[in-house]
Structures are given as structure tokens and as C-alpha cells.
């Protein structure tokens, strides 16, 4: 095979592989339009009376923090994330540890700097104030 044919063949192969259906790791479209449910905050399992959720759409983040509802502006870039000031309702939770989990979750969101989605579909937010691990939320589990 001549060098010209080899190069042409390689270009066709590379172009075809780049057109696959799997989005790149840093595609912000993976984050939006879905609801995520937190499973761990700083390595500890989430144990709250209601699911801890995150939904992102149109530059806004919202969800449930276990006891309360919250919202904030959000800025997304490939592998980067930042939340504006968080606004939250102020109801108390009677369940042991729920308020601590909620405070740790909201603190982690406020300091989030990076995001990634694993091959198994889990979302990780990490930053200077903590880390949160999410799974895709089951349909109907509130955002």
C-alpha cells in the first residue's frame, strides 16, 4: 500500500471512530436534563429522609438536599463546574445525622470545581469543600 493510501485509510478510520454515539468524558450535555441522586458525601453514605438530588438545566441547578430544597446558578465547562450562591429552604430534620449530611452536601456543592462521569454512569463532583458521588435518579424521584 502506498503512503498516500495508508494515510487516507487512517484518516477514514479515525473519522469513523470519532463519530461514535458515546459523548466525550467532558461533554456537559451528560449533566443536563437528568436528575442525579447522591449516594455518598465525602465517602459517607447518604442517609436522609428524602433523596438528595441534583438537576441542571438552562444554567440553573436545583434539587432536594435531604430535608430542604435548594437552587443556584451553575456554570459548566468540560470537566469544570461552579455553583453560584445556594438558596435553600430552612426546615429542620429530626432524623439523626440528616442535618449533618445536608450541610456537608450543600458545602460540597458550594466548593465544587470539577465533575466527571465514570464508565458505570456515576457522577462525581469534587472540590475544595468536599466530594459528592451521584447515580442517575430513578424516574419519579423528585428533583
Amino acid at each position: 500500500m502506498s503512503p498516500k493510501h495508508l494515510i487516507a485509510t487512517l484518516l477514514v478510520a479515525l473519522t469513523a471512530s470519532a463519530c461514535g454515539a458515546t459523548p466525550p468524558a467532558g461533554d456537559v450535555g451528560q449533566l443536563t436534563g437528568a436528575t442525579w441522586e447522591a449516594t455518598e458525601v465525602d465517602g459517607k453514605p447518604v442517609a436522609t429522609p428524602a433523596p438528595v438530588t441534583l438537576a441542571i438545566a438552562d444554567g440553573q441547578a436545583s434539587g432536594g438536599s435531604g430535608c430542604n430544597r435548594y437552587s443556584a446558578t451553575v456554570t459548566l465547562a468540560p470537566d469544570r463546574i461552579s455553583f453560584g450562591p445556594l438558596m435553600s429552604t430552612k426546615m429542620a430534620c429530626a432524623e439523626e445525622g440528616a442535618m449533618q449530611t445536608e450541610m456537608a452536601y450543600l458545602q460540597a456543592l458550594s466548593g465544587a470545581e470539577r465533575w466527571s462521569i465514570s464508565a458505570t454512569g456515576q457522577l462525581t463532583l469534587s472540590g475544595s469543600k468536599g466530594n459528592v458521588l451521584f447515580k442517575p435518579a430513578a424516574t419519579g424521584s423528585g428533583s
Side-chain angles (χ1 to χ4, degrees):
M1 181 179 283
S2 74
K4 286 183 183 178
H5 286 95
L6 180 59
I7 290 172
T9 303
L10 286 174
L11 287 175
V12 168
L14 287 173
T15 302
S17 68
C19 293
T22 304
D27 180 2
V28 297
Q30 294 176 292
L31 293 178
T32 60
T35 299
W36 298 91
E37 183 176 341
T39 58
E40 292 181 10
V41 177
D42 290 331
K44 297 176 186 166
V46 170
T48 55
V52 175
T53 59
L54 169 66
I56 298 173
D58 302 322
Q60 294 290 313
S62 62
S65 51
C67 300
N68 290 285
R69 308 270 316 138
Y70 70 91
S71 65
T73 59
V74 64
T75 303
L76 296 171
D79 304 325
R80 307 291 294 172
I81 191 167
S82 64
F83 294 88
L86 293 166
M87 295 184 295
S88 175
T89 58
K90 302 291 182 197
M91 296 185 298
C93 274
E95 289 80 0
E96 185 176 333
M99 290 303 296
Q100 291 83 354
T101 298
E102 180 175 83
M103 289 187 314
Y105 173 72
L106 294 174
Q107 182 173 336
L109 282 188
S110 72
E113 300 165 352
R114 293 170 304 283
W115 67 270
S116 63
I117 296 179
S118 71
T120 59
Q122 292 184 313
L123 168 64
T124 300
L125 298 183
S126 56
S128 61
K129 297 181 180 179
N131 303 305
V132 184
L133 181 65
F134 296 87
K135 66 179 182 178
T139 303
S141 70
S143 57

